[in-house]
Amino acid sequence: MEEAERGRRICLGCERPASVCLCDFIPGESLSTTTQIVILQHPHEQRHPLATVPLLNKCLTNCQTLIGRRLRPGHSPLLDSLHDNHPNANPTHAAFLFPGTEQTPSVDINEWKSWFAEGDVNKFVLIVFDGTWKHAKEMVAASLPFVSKFATRVSLTYDIHVDGETKFSSDLTLRKEPFGGCMSTMEAVARCLRVLEPNGVEIESRLVQVVRMMVRMQASFLKPTNRRPKLLKRSKDDEKKINSKSFCT
């Protein structure tokens, strides 16, 4: 079903413009995970056309989105319960996903999972920050006094010395990324669930497929870039010179 919004037809299923509807790729039945996912989304991301969190919420049953610039007491009953309980008495293991720094290094998520016994592997809470790189850094810094009391800083593989992908430069890149290893929130959650969930490979595949189709659809609307007039004129002049020389010989 569709409805009009400012002259555009909007799909009521995926809540995207009908021309880039993703309903055919979103799981018909939301994927169930034992990992509880909490996303803090920056207010500016709510209406961003390339936001992936709305799609992630439609794909997963155990995913909660909070809107704000920092995590704090009273924001989420789940996080409050983790904060208020003594770590040794708390059977749930929480982590927040963000690359580390020299002052606050991160642990690779594979290593973090290896810390726990097999009987504990289904008791994870994953906290994710959704925003531009600048906003996400600010959100993490503002949230640290709260989340650092009960959650470990984890990361996927990244390299700050390698340039990030540019918009639509790969089949999974929706925006310009600051450095190697950065990715959309939906892809990042998919990569983490691959590690944390018993059927993580299947879940990752389903989520990544949605991102891939989103990129493909958005990229199809890119207009071809026109060559700069000066360069075009120079090319024509060079062509005349070449033709002139060919004629003389």
Side-chain angles (χ1 to χ4, degrees):
M1 297 179 63
E2 300 171 356
E3 66 177 11
E5 180 182 289
R6 296 180 183 178
R8 294 190 304 175
R9 290 183 304 162
I10 302 298
C11 173
L12 296 180
C14 62
E15 300 179 14
R16 290 173 50 78
S19 58
V20 287
C21 172
L22 289 168
C23 286
D24 288 344
F25 307 99
I26 295 173
E29 189 172 321
S30 297
L31 305 175
S32 178
T33 62
T34 55
T35 302
Q36 300 180 79
I37 301 159
V38 179
I39 300 172
L40 180 65
Q41 184 180 51
H42 193 278
H44 291 179
E45 288 293 307
Q46 283 186 277
R47 300 292 292 176
H48 196 291
L50 298 180
T52 60
V53 167
L55 294 171
L56 189 58
N57 279 310
K58 293 181 182 300
C59 292
L60 299 176
T61 58
N62 210 357
C63 184
Q64 174 189 13
T65 299
L66 309 172
I67 307 299
R69 289 177 167 82
R70 68 183 177 96
L71 292 172
R72 62 186 185 281
H75 211 172
S76 162
L78 171 61
L79 300 187
D80 284 349
S81 67
L82 293 173
H83 179 271
D84 296 340
N85 287 335
H86 191 278
N88 293 331
N90 191 348
T92 302
H93 310 296
F96 66 97
L97 182 68
F98 204 74
T101 65
E102 290 185 3
Q103 293 75 24
T104 54
S106 60
V107 178
D108 183 271
I109 193 166
N110 288 279
E111 179 183 347
W112 179 70
K113 184 190 176 185
S114 72
W115 294 352
F116 311 112
E118 286 298 319
D120 280 346
V121 296
N122 292 332
K123 301 174 181 178
F124 296 128
V125 173
L126 178 66
I127 302 167
V128 183
F129 296 87
D130 180 60
T132 63
W133 177 244
K134 177 179 180 295
H135 286 155
K137 285 198 297 184
E138 294 170 352
M139 292 157 69
V140 170
S143 301
L144 273 179
F146 177 64
V147 297
S148 62
K149 300 295 184 182
F150 59 87
T152 302
R153 187 174 191 148
V154 301
S155 62
L156 296 161
T157 302
Y158 68 95
D159 190 342
I160 61 173
H161 302 295
V162 175
D163 291 339
E165 298 280 355
T166 56
K167 187 176 181 179
F168 305 144
S169 62
S170 78
D171 63 350
L172 291 174
T173 306
L174 283 161
R175 310 189 203 181
K176 173 72 175 73
E177 302 294 357
F179 52 81
C182 292
M183 61 192 72
S184 69
T185 298
M186 190 167 186
E187 184 186 354
V189 170
R191 304 305 185 197
C192 289
L193 291 178
R194 177 190 177 97
V195 176
L196 300 177
E197 289 294 303
N199 59 332
V201 173
E202 178 186 351
I203 294 173
E204 177 193 41
S205 177
R206 299 290 296 277
L207 296 180
V208 166
Q209 175 67 359
V210 177
V211 179
R212 182 173 288 113
M213 293 310 302
M214 183 178 179
V215 172
R216 185 177 301 175
M217 288 182 178
Q218 296 293 152
S220 69
F221 287 91
L222 282 180
K223 295 181 180 179
T225 55
N226 294 322
R227 299 169 66 185
R228 292 166 58 188
K230 288 184 178 180
L231 294 178
L232 185 61
K233 183 177 183 299
R234 182 178 299 172
S235 297
K236 288 183 177 180
D237 290 342
D238 291 343
E239 185 178 345
K240 288 180 180 178
K241 291 179 181 178
I242 293 172
N243 289 337
S244 176
K245 290 179 180 180
S246 299
F247 177 76
C248 291
T249 56

